[in-house]
Amino acid sequence: RQDNKAYKFLECYLNIPRLPFFEGEIFMRNLNYPAYVYLVASQAHNTHEFEDDVTFFQENINLGEKRNQETCYLFWAKDLDVLERYDEMVDVLEEGLINYPRNIDMLKLSVNLYMKKHNKSKAQEMLDRALVLSPNDSGLRFLKAVLEDENGRHEVALPIYQDFYASDSTNTDIRRRLALCYYNLAALQINERNKAQEG
């Protein structure tokens, strides 16, 4: 396909200066260079060539190009997540949210990231920021339930899980989380009753 050939040509054009043979050489760039970088980064992202697109998204940001910058931060962070390069992902999201503090998708990624890193206080901070901007967002409500559940506040998580189950009873993740929430809540109640009887 013609568009694929154009992409491959641009990819080669951008990678030539990175070759060891050309180290220290200065290459001329025209005004379209940032657009070329973004095009190659996007194509690499769409074809799941994550190592490549991380490099190109980073270059696009470093060029200081404002057009598509918000998308670059978001996709860059998503691809680092796939590559499990979480420390780099923290830096990208922090910088991205300084520039675009109302980006719900970056805030959601931040919540999930800090939950993976077992930093629940930071995850809660990001979630609170996102909920202020979009309190009825279903994705954020689900993250709230998961975080409350993991913090041992099963009674807060339970009605949220129940709402999701009522709207999609075939979702295996929701069914699993709801069942575990019921189990944990029941276990807490049994423990409290046993303590009361022992006392």
Side-chain angles (χ1 to χ4, degrees), residues 176-196:
R176 180 181 61 82
R177 290 182 183 277
L178 179 60
L180 282 172
C181 190
Y182 272 124
Y183 174 83
N184 290 328
L185 194 56
L188 281 176
Q189 291 172 346
I190 291 169
N191 287 338
E192 288 174 2
R193 187 166 61 242
N194 289 341
K195 286 179 183 178

PDB file of all heavy atoms in Angstrom, residues 176-196:
ATOM      1  N   ARG A 176     -16.131 -11.365  39.309  1.00  0.00           N
ATOM      2  CA  ARG A 176     -15.072 -11.817  40.228  1.00  0.00           C
ATOM      3  C   ARG A 176     -14.876 -10.823  41.366  1.00  0.00           C
ATOM      4  O   ARG A 176     -14.796 -11.204  42.538  1.00  0.00           O
ATOM      5  CB  ARG A 176     -13.768 -12.006  39.448  1.00  0.00           C
ATOM      6  CG  ARG A 176     -12.579 -12.464  40.291  1.00  0.00           C
ATOM      7  CD  ARG A 176     -11.337 -12.604  39.435  1.00  0.00           C
ATOM      8  NE  ARG A 176     -10.942 -11.357  38.821  1.00  0.00           N
ATOM      9  CZ  ARG A 176     -10.232 -10.418  39.444  1.00  0.00           C
ATOM     10  NH1 ARG A 176      -9.856 -10.576  40.713  1.00  0.00           N
ATOM     11  NH2 ARG A 176      -9.898  -9.303  38.824  1.00  0.00           N
ATOM     12  N   ARG A 177     -14.799  -9.527  41.006  1.00  0.00           N
ATOM     13  CA  ARG A 177     -14.577  -8.502  42.028  1.00  0.00           C
ATOM     14  C   ARG A 177     -15.772  -8.410  42.981  1.00  0.00           C
ATOM     15  O   ARG A 177     -15.590  -8.215  44.189  1.00  0.00           O
ATOM     16  CB  ARG A 177     -14.309  -7.149  41.372  1.00  0.00           C
ATOM     17  CG  ARG A 177     -12.961  -7.082  40.667  1.00  0.00           C
ATOM     18  CD  ARG A 177     -12.707  -5.708  40.075  1.00  0.00           C
ATOM     19  NE  ARG A 177     -11.455  -5.633  39.343  1.00  0.00           N
ATOM     20  CZ  ARG A 177     -10.271  -5.433  39.890  1.00  0.00           C
ATOM     21  NH1 ARG A 177     -10.168  -5.293  41.208  1.00  0.00           N
ATOM     22  NH2 ARG A 177      -9.181  -5.373  39.157  1.00  0.00           N
ATOM     23  N   LEU A 178     -16.974  -8.536  42.448  1.00  0.00           N
ATOM     24  CA  LEU A 178     -18.168  -8.493  43.292  1.00  0.00           C
ATOM     25  C   LEU A 178     -18.189  -9.668  44.264  1.00  0.00           C
ATOM     26  O   LEU A 178     -18.464  -9.499  45.466  1.00  0.00           O
ATOM     27  CB  LEU A 178     -19.429  -8.511  42.417  1.00  0.00           C
ATOM     28  CG  LEU A 178     -20.775  -8.486  43.153  1.00  0.00           C
ATOM     29  CD1 LEU A 178     -20.919  -7.224  44.004  1.00  0.00           C
ATOM     30  CD2 LEU A 178     -21.928  -8.578  42.150  1.00  0.00           C
ATOM     31  N   ALA A 179     -17.874 -10.871  43.773  1.00  0.00           N
ATOM     32  CA  ALA A 179     -17.853 -12.055  44.631  1.00  0.00           C
ATOM     33  C   ALA A 179     -16.813 -11.920  45.737  1.00  0.00           C
ATOM     34  O   ALA A 179     -17.083 -12.226  46.908  1.00  0.00           O
ATOM     35  CB  ALA A 179     -17.581 -13.301  43.791  1.00  0.00           C
ATOM     36  N   LEU A 180     -15.612 -11.432  45.384  1.00  0.00           N
ATOM     37  CA  LEU A 180     -14.560 -11.245  46.382  1.00  0.00           C
ATOM     38  C   LEU A 180     -14.941 -10.183  47.404  1.00  0.00           C
ATOM     39  O   LEU A 180     -14.630 -10.314  48.595  1.00  0.00           O
ATOM     40  CB  LEU A 180     -13.247 -10.864  45.695  1.00  0.00           C
ATOM     41  CG  LEU A 180     -12.467 -12.008  45.041  1.00  0.00           C
ATOM     42  CD1 LEU A 180     -11.299 -11.460  44.233  1.00  0.00           C
ATOM     43  CD2 LEU A 180     -11.967 -12.998  46.086  1.00  0.00           C
ATOM     44  N   CYS A 181     -15.622  -9.153  46.925  1.00  0.00           N
ATOM     45  CA  CYS A 181     -16.053  -8.087  47.834  1.00  0.00           C
ATOM     46  C   CYS A 181     -17.055  -8.631  48.843  1.00  0.00           C
ATOM     47  O   CYS A 181     -16.972  -8.342  50.046  1.00  0.00           O
ATOM     48  CB  CYS A 181     -16.642  -6.939  47.022  1.00  0.00           C
ATOM     49  SG  CYS A 181     -16.963  -5.454  47.986  1.00  0.00           S
ATOM     50  N   TYR A 182     -18.023  -9.412  48.367  1.00  0.00           N
ATOM     51  CA  TYR A 182     -18.993 -10.059  49.275  1.00  0.00           C
ATOM     52  C   TYR A 182     -18.250 -10.929  50.294  1.00  0.00           C
ATOM     53  O   TYR A 182     -18.553 -10.912  51.497  1.00  0.00           O
ATOM     54  CB  TYR A 182     -19.967 -10.930  48.476  1.00  0.00           C
ATOM     55  CG  TYR A 182     -21.183 -10.220  47.958  1.00  0.00           C
ATOM     56  CD1 TYR A 182     -21.496 -10.220  46.597  1.00  0.00           C
ATOM     57  CD2 TYR A 182     -22.068  -9.560  48.827  1.00  0.00           C
ATOM     58  CE1 TYR A 182     -22.631  -9.574  46.110  1.00  0.00           C
ATOM     59  CE2 TYR A 182     -23.200  -8.919  48.347  1.00  0.00           C
ATOM     60  CZ  TYR A 182     -23.469  -8.929  46.987  1.00  0.00           C
ATOM     61  OH  TYR A 182     -24.595  -8.297  46.517  1.00  0.00           O
ATOM     62  N   TYR A 183     -17.305 -11.712  49.802  1.00  0.00           N
ATOM     63  CA  TYR A 183     -16.551 -12.624  50.675  1.00  0.00           C
ATOM     64  C   TYR A 183     -15.782 -11.848  51.748  1.00  0.00           C
ATOM     65  O   TYR A 183     -15.838 -12.191  52.940  1.00  0.00           O
ATOM     66  CB  TYR A 183     -15.585 -13.456  49.823  1.00  0.00           C
ATOM     67  CG  TYR A 183     -14.665 -14.330  50.641  1.00  0.00           C
ATOM     68  CD1 TYR A 183     -15.093 -15.568  51.112  1.00  0.00           C
ATOM     69  CD2 TYR A 183     -13.370 -13.905  50.960  1.00  0.00           C
ATOM     70  CE1 TYR A 183     -14.239 -16.373  51.874  1.00  0.00           C
ATOM     71  CE2 TYR A 183     -12.525 -14.696  51.708  1.00  0.00           C
ATOM     72  CZ  TYR A 183     -12.968 -15.926  52.159  1.00  0.00           C
ATOM     73  OH  TYR A 183     -12.130 -16.703  52.930  1.00  0.00           O
ATOM     74  N   ASN A 184     -15.061 -10.814  51.327  1.00  0.00           N
ATOM     75  CA  ASN A 184     -14.265 -10.035  52.277  1.00  0.00           C
ATOM     76  C   ASN A 184     -15.134  -9.311  53.292  1.00  0.00           C
ATOM     77  O   ASN A 184     -14.781  -9.220  54.474  1.00  0.00           O
ATOM     78  CB  ASN A 184     -13.401  -9.020  51.520  1.00  0.00           C
ATOM     79  CG  ASN A 184     -12.275  -9.684  50.741  1.00  0.00           C
ATOM     80  OD1 ASN A 184     -11.747 -10.711  51.157  1.00  0.00           O
ATOM     81  ND2 ASN A 184     -11.915  -9.107  49.612  1.00  0.00           N
ATOM     82  N   LEU A 185     -16.265  -8.807  52.830  1.00  0.00           N
ATOM     83  CA  LEU A 185     -17.182  -8.120  53.734  1.00  0.00           C
ATOM     84  C   LEU A 185     -17.754  -9.100  54.756  1.00  0.00           C
ATOM     85  O   LEU A 185     -17.842  -8.782  55.957  1.00  0.00           O
ATOM     86  CB  LEU A 185     -18.307  -7.458  52.930  1.00  0.00           C
ATOM     87  CG  LEU A 185     -19.184  -6.436  53.649  1.00  0.00           C
ATOM     88  CD1 LEU A 185     -18.343  -5.316  54.247  1.00  0.00           C
ATOM     89  CD2 LEU A 185     -20.213  -5.849  52.689  1.00  0.00           C
ATOM     90  N   ALA A 186     -18.119 -10.282  54.297  1.00  0.00           N
ATOM     91  CA  ALA A 186     -18.652 -11.303  55.206  1.00  0.00           C
ATOM     92  C   ALA A 186     -17.585 -11.731  56.211  1.00  0.00           C
ATOM     93  O   ALA A 186     -17.879 -11.903  57.412  1.00  0.00           O
ATOM     94  CB  ALA A 186     -19.135 -12.508  54.410  1.00  0.00           C
ATOM     95  N   ALA A 187     -16.346 -11.898  55.740  1.00  0.00           N
ATOM     96  CA  ALA A 187     -15.250 -12.292  56.632  1.00  0.00           C
ATOM     97  C   ALA A 187     -15.019 -11.247  57.710  1.00  0.00           C
ATOM     98  O   ALA A 187     -14.802 -11.586  58.886  1.00  0.00           O
ATOM     99  CB  ALA A 187     -13.974 -12.514  55.822  1.00  0.00           C
ATOM    100  N   LEU A 188     -15.078  -9.971  57.347  1.00  0.00           N
ATOM    101  CA  LEU A 188     -14.929  -8.901  58.334  1.00  0.00           C
ATOM    102  C   LEU A 188     -16.035  -8.934  59.371  1.00  0.00           C
ATOM    103  O   LEU A 188     -15.789  -8.770  60.578  1.00  0.00           O
ATOM    104  CB  LEU A 188     -14.923  -7.535  57.624  1.00  0.00           C
ATOM    105  CG  LEU A 188     -13.622  -7.105  56.944  1.00  0.00           C
ATOM    106  CD1 LEU A 188     -13.834  -5.784  56.222  1.00  0.00           C
ATOM    107  CD2 LEU A 188     -12.497  -6.972  57.962  1.00  0.00           C
ATOM    108  N   GLN A 189     -17.259  -9.147  58.920  1.00  0.00           N
ATOM    109  CA  GLN A 189     -18.397  -9.196  59.843  1.00  0.00           C
ATOM    110  C   GLN A 189     -18.293 -10.378  60.800  1.00  0.00           C
ATOM    111  O   GLN A 189     -18.597 -10.253  61.993  1.00  0.00           O
ATOM    112  CB  GLN A 189     -19.702  -9.249  59.046  1.00  0.00           C
ATOM    113  CG  GLN A 189     -20.006  -7.957  58.297  1.00  0.00           C
ATOM    114  CD  GLN A 189     -21.184  -8.072  57.357  1.00  0.00           C
ATOM    115  OE1 GLN A 189     -21.655  -9.178  57.047  1.00  0.00           O
ATOM    116  NE2 GLN A 189     -21.684  -6.937  56.886  1.00  0.00           N
ATOM    117  N   ILE A 190     -17.840 -11.519  60.271  1.00  0.00           N
ATOM    118  CA  ILE A 190     -17.667 -12.698  61.127  1.00  0.00           C
ATOM    119  C   ILE A 190     -16.580 -12.451  62.171  1.00  0.00           C
ATOM    120  O   ILE A 190     -16.750 -12.783  63.359  1.00  0.00           O
ATOM    121  CB  ILE A 190     -17.326 -13.942  60.270  1.00  0.00           C
ATOM    122  CG1 ILE A 190     -18.549 -14.355  59.444  1.00  0.00           C
ATOM    123  CG2 ILE A 190     -16.851 -15.094  61.145  1.00  0.00           C
ATOM    124  CD1 ILE A 190     -18.247 -15.398  58.389  1.00  0.00           C
ATOM    125  N   ASN A 191     -15.479 -11.852  61.756  1.00  0.00           N
ATOM    126  CA  ASN A 191     -14.391 -11.549  62.687  1.00  0.00           C
ATOM    127  C   ASN A 191     -14.843 -10.580  63.773  1.00  0.00           C
ATOM    128  O   ASN A 191     -14.493 -10.745  64.955  1.00  0.00           O
ATOM    129  CB  ASN A 191     -13.200 -10.954  61.928  1.00  0.00           C
ATOM    130  CG  ASN A 191     -12.461 -11.999  61.106  1.00  0.00           C
ATOM    131  OD1 ASN A 191     -12.549 -13.198  61.380  1.00  0.00           O
ATOM    132  ND2 ASN A 191     -11.743 -11.549  60.091  1.00  0.00           N
ATOM    133  N   GLU A 192     -15.596  -9.574  63.375  1.00  0.00           N
ATOM    134  CA  GLU A 192     -16.094  -8.599  64.356  1.00  0.00           C
ATOM    135  C   GLU A 192     -17.046  -9.257  65.343  1.00  0.00           C
ATOM    136  O   GLU A 192     -17.012  -8.975  66.543  1.00  0.00           O
ATOM    137  CB  GLU A 192     -16.788  -7.440  63.628  1.00  0.00           C
ATOM    138  CG  GLU A 192     -15.817  -6.520  62.896  1.00  0.00           C
ATOM    139  CD  GLU A 192     -16.533  -5.470  62.075  1.00  0.00           C
ATOM    140  OE1 GLU A 192     -17.785  -5.430  62.110  1.00  0.00           O
ATOM    141  OE2 GLU A 192     -15.844  -4.680  61.387  1.00  0.00           O
ATOM    142  N   ARG A 193     -17.907 -10.166  64.857  1.00  0.00           N
ATOM    143  CA  ARG A 193     -18.835 -10.862  65.727  1.00  0.00           C
ATOM    144  C   ARG A 193     -18.091 -11.774  66.688  1.00  0.00           C
ATOM    145  O   ARG A 193     -18.414 -11.843  67.893  1.00  0.00           O
ATOM    146  CB  ARG A 193     -19.842 -11.668  64.897  1.00  0.00           C
ATOM    147  CG  ARG A 193     -20.959 -12.282  65.767  1.00  0.00           C
ATOM    148  CD  ARG A 193     -22.142 -12.783  64.939  1.00  0.00           C
ATOM    149  NE  ARG A 193     -21.732 -13.820  64.007  1.00  0.00           N
ATOM    150  CZ  ARG A 193     -21.813 -13.716  62.680  1.00  0.00           C
ATOM    151  NH1 ARG A 193     -22.258 -12.594  62.140  1.00  0.00           N
ATOM    152  NH2 ARG A 193     -21.456 -14.706  61.906  1.00  0.00           N
ATOM    153  N   ASN A 194     -17.066 -12.457  66.182  1.00  0.00           N
ATOM    154  CA  ASN A 194     -16.283 -13.339  67.056  1.00  0.00           C
ATOM    155  C   ASN A 194     -15.555 -12.556  68.141  1.00  0.00           C
ATOM    156  O   ASN A 194     -15.478 -12.986  69.288  1.00  0.00           O
ATOM    157  CB  ASN A 194     -15.261 -14.128  66.216  1.00  0.00           C
ATOM    158  CG  ASN A 194     -15.922 -15.193  65.351  1.00  0.00           C
ATOM    159  OD1 ASN A 194     -17.075 -15.593  65.614  1.00  0.00           O
ATOM    160  ND2 ASN A 194     -15.231 -15.653  64.323  1.00  0.00           N
ATOM    161  N   LYS A 195     -15.008 -11.379  67.772  1.00  0.00           N
ATOM    162  CA  LYS A 195     -14.338 -10.541  68.757  1.00  0.00           C
ATOM    163  C   LYS A 195     -15.316 -10.071  69.827  1.00  0.00           C
ATOM    164  O   LYS A 195     -14.979 -10.010  71.018  1.00  0.00           O
ATOM    165  CB  LYS A 195     -13.692  -9.342  68.068  1.00  0.00           C
ATOM    166  CG  LYS A 195     -12.444  -9.676  67.279  1.00  0.00           C
ATOM    167  CD  LYS A 195     -11.870  -8.421  66.607  1.00  0.00           C
ATOM    168  CE  LYS A 195     -10.657  -8.758  65.765  1.00  0.00           C
ATOM    169  NZ  LYS A 195     -10.117  -7.552  65.066  1.00  0.00           N
ATOM    170  N   ALA A 196     -16.525  -9.723  69.387  1.00  0.00           N
ATOM    171  CA  ALA A 196     -17.532  -9.241  70.341  1.00  0.00           C
ATOM    172  C   ALA A 196     -17.929 -10.357  71.310  1.00  0.00           C
ATOM    173  O   ALA A 196     -18.114 -10.114  72.505  1.00  0.00           O
ATOM    174  CB  ALA A 196     -18.762  -8.740  69.583  1.00  0.00           C
TER     175      ALA A 196
END
